[in-house]
Amino acid sequence: IPSVQANQVADDAVVLDVREDEEWAAGHIAGSTHVPLSQLPGRAADVPDTDPLLVVCRVGARSAQVTAWLRGQGREATNLTGGLEAWSAAGRPLVTDDGGPGFVA
């Protein structure tokens, strides 16, 4: 599946975060859409309909599954290599729902 390194992601990328609620609450990419993998079948309509779409999780495994699923539906989805751990290690910011600094949980 197509993947991209954290330092190659455009600032205006449309991001789908498939982590669970407690992971999201700890920190996420500003402006991203949150649809946990466990809720995806019932919330597929909540997935942004914009292509390309960057799919993220903590280390890249869950997002790889979702990326493959979306591509099977004809979507232009890309997985974030190394997930949000790599994102954070690259110095890219994470935020909380109240706009404060976030972290990877």
Side-chain angles (χ1 to χ4, degrees), residues 24-90:
W24 168 269
H28 51 270
I29 297 171
S32 58
T33 299
H34 181 224
V35 180
L37 174 59
S38 63
Q39 298 175 19
L40 189 58
R43 293 189 52 202
D46 294 336
V47 173
D49 61 4
T50 304
D51 284 334
L53 181 62
L54 177 67
V55 186
V56 304
C57 68
R58 183 170 172 244
V59 297
R62 289 172 285 179
S63 54
Q65 293 174 0
V66 174
T67 299
W69 179 74
L70 288 168
R71 292 188 71 80
Q73 296 185 27
R75 298 293 306 275
E76 188 182 335
T78 303
N79 188 43
L80 178 62
T81 302
L84 291 182
E85 285 189 353
W87 178 272
S88 184

Side-chain angles (χ1 to χ4, degrees), residues 24-28 94-102:
W24 168 269
H28 51 270
L94 295 172
V95 298
T96 59
D97 282 337
D98 66 8

